[in-house]
């Protein structure tokens, strides 16, 4: 799909940081319904993404976050990522 802009990612993270969404995500593996909600909320910001795109972006961000976090712990490399602090606050 088309690349996510910084604003789109910020909006996704803002929605994701919602306690309600976080609780739903923690308790489930089958999360299509949750990402449909997320996609609907992105629409309110004028961002047109389907639930699959939201879930993929969420998974990628989470994966990237974890790899940066573990590289910090082992101090092997100073990896960094754009939205690390925002994600650190959530995860």
């Amino acid at each position: 799909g088309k690349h996510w802009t910084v604003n789109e990612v910020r909006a996704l993270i803002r929605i994701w940081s919602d306690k309600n969404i976080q609780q739903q995500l923690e308790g489930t593996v089958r999360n299509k319904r949750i990402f449909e909600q997320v996609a609907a909320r992105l629409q309110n910001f004028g961002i047109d993404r389907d639930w699959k795109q939201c879930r993929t972006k969420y998974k990628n961000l989470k994966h990237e976050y974890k790899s940066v976090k573990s590289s910090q712990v082992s101090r092997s490399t100073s990896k960094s990522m754009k939205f690390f602090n925002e994600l650190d606050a959530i995860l």
Side-chain angles (χ1 to χ4, degrees):
K2 68 183 175 78
H3 273 301
W4 286 69
T5 66
V6 170
N7 285 342
E8 288 176 333
V9 177
R10 285 236 162 85
L12 178 67
I13 292 172
R14 189 175 307 137
I15 293 165
W16 175 9
S17 69
D18 180 319
K19 285 275 175 275
N20 193 8
I21 296 282
Q22 280 182 57
Q23 281 166 351
Q24 291 181 66
L25 285 169
E26 272 166 31
T28 183
V29 180
R30 293 167 197 262
N31 47 21
K32 176 182 176 191
R33 206 175 43 77
I34 303 162
F35 284 103
E36 284 174 338
Q37 284 178 38
V38 170
R41 287 172 68 175
L42 283 175
Q43 297 265 297
N44 298 338
F45 292 111
I47 297 166
D48 189 26
R49 295 285 180 180
D50 65 27
W51 71 270
K52 277 186 177 151
Q53 290 172 309
C54 292
R55 188 176 66 183
T56 302
K57 190 62 179 173
Y58 162 81
K59 284 184 169 169
N60 291 345
L61 283 168
K62 206 168 167 178
H63 176 77
E64 191 183 351
Y65 169 82
K66 283 182 173 158
S67 88
V68 170
K69 189 82 171 169
S70 65
S71 80
Q72 282 182 349
V73 171
S74 62
R75 301 210 187 284
S76 52
T77 53
S78 55
K79 272 192 193 167
S80 67
M81 66 180 281
K82 199 171 215 155
F83 302 100
F84 184 81
N85 292 337
E86 289 98 322
L87 294 180
D88 205 34
I90 300 171
L91 298 167

